[in-house]
Amino acid sequence: MRESNFSYLLEFIRTKLYIPTTSIDATFYEYVASRSGNSLEDVEKLFKFCYQIHLRNEITDEELVKLNKMIEKFKKTIQYGK
């Protein structure tokens, strides 16, 4: 489940922001922040949380809800501004 959320986020970034997701680094975060209207800090927090979850074998329902809320907030900023 969590893998699909992260894959979905990367696909969204590729198709809506036209940013390649092959190298996720500081430059990638800057591009995503710039093109999405999200702050660099928010982009870094989102991806840091995604990585933390990705590295674990299990995820709680609360963490899954938090991840979904973070992704939805990220997407809303793109669609409607802050």
Side-chain angles (χ1 to χ4, degrees):
M1 182 82 157
R2 66 180 181 260
E3 186 66 35
S4 62
N5 288 349
F6 187 57
S7 297
Y8 173 72
L9 174 61
L10 293 177
E11 178 66 19
F12 182 84
I13 289 170
R14 282 190 296 272
T15 59
K16 299 295 183 188
L17 301 179
Y18 306 105
I19 299 172
T21 58
T22 52
S23 179
I24 299 175
D25 56 15
T27 302
F28 171 80
Y29 295 148
E30 290 173 13
Y31 283 141
V32 171
S34 173
R35 291 187 112 163
S36 70
N38 285 277
S39 71
L40 179 58
E41 180 182 2
D42 286 344
V43 170
E44 289 174 340
K45 282 182 186 178
L46 173 60
F47 277 88
K48 182 178 180 180
F49 190 66
C50 285
Y51 288 132
Q52 288 173 349
I53 289 173
H54 179 72
L55 294 175
R56 297 199 339 246
N57 291 329
E58 293 184 17
I59 180 173
T60 66
D61 289 341
E62 292 82 16
E63 290 169 323
L64 184 58
V65 168
K66 180 180 177 180
L67 176 60
N68 286 332
K69 285 183 179 182
M70 291 175 79
I71 291 172
E72 289 304 313
K73 180 182 175 199
F74 172 82
K75 288 173 47 186
K76 272 188 184 172
T77 301
I78 294 169
Q79 295 172 346
Y80 305 112
K82 291 198 176 213

